[in-house]
Amino acid sequence: MAKPSEDQIPSSRISGFYNLSVAERLQRVSAFAGLSADHAEQLARSGNLETDLADHMIENFVTTLAIPVGIATNFRIDGRDLLVPMATEESSVVAAASNAARQCYGAGGFTTSLSASEMIGQIQILDVPDPDAATAEIGRRRAEIAELCEACDPLLVSLGGGFRDIEVRRIDAASGPMVVVHIIVDTRDAMGANAVNSIAERLAPLLAEWTGGRPLLRILSNLADRRLARAEAVWPLAAIGRSEVRDGLIAAFEFADADPYRAATHNKGIMNGISAVVLATGNDTRAVEAGAHAFAARSGRYRSLSTWSRTPNGDLKGTIELPMAVGLVGGLTRLHPTVRALLAVLAPDNAGQLARVIAAVGLAQNFAAMKALATEGIQRGHMSLHAHNIAIGAGASGTEIEALAARMIAARSISAATAEAMLGELRARA
Ligand code: MEV
């Protein structure tokens, strides 16, 4: 085959791509990738997010990616019934959360709490000649620092938030000691990244001057351990079924708590629920995930985010605690029309309540996963939903989907190859 000449090789150096209209960008992308007309048309549909709005949300926007949103039912949290929107591409997640919530609904559902709504901003200062003297100097200037912080964000202060505390840490890094200052800010109903980053950037040069050092990073920490959401619930033995199942769940938890290989999967199951609600409510899934996993490793070993035990009367009690930096103002929460509508479904009173609801969903998700794993395994429930997806992937539509999924499940063979063969047979008979 003849080698394409230099000028035939498509180049990714597209200057001013961001200045093009969305349609022009799509044209350039289609030409670059040699897209079929079908693919190009698919990318041109932006679903329920207006192109103009999406184009302002991120750079170089070309299309949207629709993720299904399901509503988890049966949640009773702190005495209030709630319908919880969950955005996820994974089958079984919404059903599992709803099932778990149903099994503890009669016992009162979930009880939750929040430690506070404080975020940490980190300011790194290098080349500090005397870290102990620097710590003392920063301590002496606490009132001045508080005043500077409050001046940075008067709106936050008027809403009851603002400066709460300051901490000075000496970190022994590979190249030597560095001073790291933590500014603690109550960010109320905001996730807080913008408020905290602005404050950190404002304070950094002053802190450097007072300590004789050189400021470098000024950024919020996602290990939001002053914003811990907690949830607990009791699943009555009668709802669980048998005492062996309850004990199986406890043994499953003990496995996760003792072994990082299992803990990673156990916590992934928790995050199936948590990230789905975080995404549906327009919050930052990566921030919450980073915080959760860092918190799970706070003892020096990566452990379970939840704990499970037998109550004195033989029921099963689950608890969960994790950082939950979510907001109801700023970011997508006000901007994205679908997020706004989904928030209207959940109707949280404030960001704290949203954080607590999310923790409860994480606990429910964990209960469901462990119960399935400790009994029949997850494949049966998972695969029946998965079978529908495989059937659609093979080209089934309308009533074919159900029929094909049922046949694959009965044959205990759920794969693209089986789906294609069986779909052929179904159509031949029709
Ligand atoms: C799958 O997405 C989640 C599980 O693996 C969680 C777990 O193992 O606990 C089922």
Side-chain angles (χ1 to χ4, degrees):
M1 203 164 81
K3 240 179 124 190
S5 67
E6 278 296 310
D7 58 353
Q8 285 175 311
I9 298 173
S11 171
S12 66
R13 295 274 303 119
I14 309 179
S15 90
F17 188 71
Y18 64 96
N19 274 329
L20 302 178
S21 69
V22 175
E24 286 167 340
R25 277 183 218 141
L26 267 172
Q27 268 167 16
R28 297 292 293 266
V29 171
S30 300
F32 177 95
L35 289 189
S36 66
D38 280 357
H39 282 160
E41 264 169 44
Q42 177 60 27
L43 293 187
R45 285 188 214 120
S46 79
N48 62 4
L49 183 60
E50 293 293 325
T51 299
D52 276 357
L53 184 57
D55 195 22
H56 284 102
M57 282 181 187
I58 64 159
E59 311 74 39
N60 295 358
F61 166 79
V62 292
T63 192
T64 59
L65 176 68
I67 298 289
V69 177
I71 298 289
T73 53
N74 309 322
F75 273 87
R76 187 166 184 75
I77 301 176
D78 301 317
R80 183 167 147 197
D81 280 30
L82 297 161
L83 291 180
V84 188
M86 301 179 74
T88 178
E89 86 302 340
E90 185 168 333
S91 46
S92 304
V93 165
V94 183
S98 305
N99 256 325
R102 180 179 48 75
Q103 289 171 55
C104 68
Y105 186 93
F110 300 84
T111 307
T112 67
S113 63
L114 189 74
S115 64
S117 48
E118 293 171 0
M119 297 297 285
I120 299 166
Q122 294 195 292
I123 301 159
Q124 177 192 25
I125 312 174
L126 302 175
D127 307 331
V128 174
D130 183 345
D132 290 335
T135 305
E137 179 62 12
I138 292 170
R140 265 194 299 277
R141 292 186 183 258
R142 190 179 190 281
E144 196 178 338
I145 291 169
E147 215 171 287
L148 282 161
C149 283
E150 311 258 306
C152 254
D153 203 332
L155 177 63
L156 186 60
V157 176
S158 74
L159 295 169
F163 176 86
R164 289 292 179 271
D165 206 355
I166 190 157
E167 285 174 347
V168 187
R169 301 171 59 215
R170 180 193 152 120
I171 307 235
D172 290 312
S175 62
M178 50 182 78
V179 170
V180 174
V181 180
H182 282 191
I183 307 286
I184 320 294
V185 180
D186 186 336
T187 62
R188 311 305 281 184
D189 273 344
M191 183 272 189
N194 281 334
V196 169
N197 292 341
S198 302
I199 290 172
E201 289 191 2
R202 169 82 184 87
L203 283 180
L206 295 165
L207 291 169
E209 192 188 311
W210 298 333
T211 57
R214 178 167 63 89
L216 198 61
L217 303 195
R218 297 135 293 158
I219 188 76
L220 136 149
S221 170
N222 287 122
L223 178 50
D225 60 1
R226 290 166 171 261
R227 203 174 191 175
L228 298 175
R230 304 182 183 110
E232 62 175 63
V234 170
W235 277 264
L237 185 56
I240 300 172
R242 293 167 291 126
S243 56
E244 293 78 24
V245 178
R246 176 203 60 208
D247 296 343
L249 266 91
I250 294 171
F253 150 66
E254 287 178 351
F255 178 14
D257 209 37
D259 174 34
Y261 286 93
R262 173 59 204 148
T265 323
H266 174 95
N267 289 343
K268 187 273 182 185
I270 291 174
M271 299 313 286
N272 277 345
I274 287 182
S275 296
V277 187
V278 172
L279 185 59
T281 56
N283 278 286
D284 184 340
T285 50
R286 289 85 54 214
V288 172
E289 280 158 14
H293 295 297
F295 189 70
R298 68 194 180 286
S299 65
R301 179 160 56 81
Y302 185 81
R303 300 176 65 175
S304 167
L305 286 165
S306 58
T307 63
W308 295 87
S309 59
R310 184 188 156 152
T311 66
N313 59 355
D315 298 330
L316 178 71
K317 181 174 174 182
T319 67
I320 190 168
E321 181 184 51
L322 77 168
M324 193 53 66
V326 290
L328 284 177
V329 295
L332 274 198
T333 49
R334 290 270 161 92
L335 209 59
H336 197 302
T338 311
V339 165
R340 283 214 309 272
L342 293 173
L343 279 170
V345 173
L346 183 63
D349 295 334
N350 47 43
Q353 195 199 11
L354 174 61
R356 293 185 281 111
V357 167
I358 295 172
V361 174
L363 187 64
Q365 207 73 53
N366 188 212
F367 171 88
M370 288 198 308
K371 190 173 177 206
L373 288 167
T375 54
E376 62 179 13
I378 59 154
Q379 284 309 78
R380 204 170 75 88
H382 196 73
M383 288 317 257
S384 76
L385 277 161
H386 184 55
H388 287 76
N389 292 339
I390 297 279
I392 295 167
S397 61
T399 54
E400 284 175 347
I401 300 171
E402 194 56 54
L404 183 54
R407 278 173 146 245
M408 286 194 287
I409 291 165
R412 292 177 180 274
S413 171
I414 303 167
S415 70
T418 307
E420 269 169 39
M422 286 185 171
L423 184 60
E425 287 167 23
L426 265 178
R427 286 182 176 165
R429 275 197 215 148

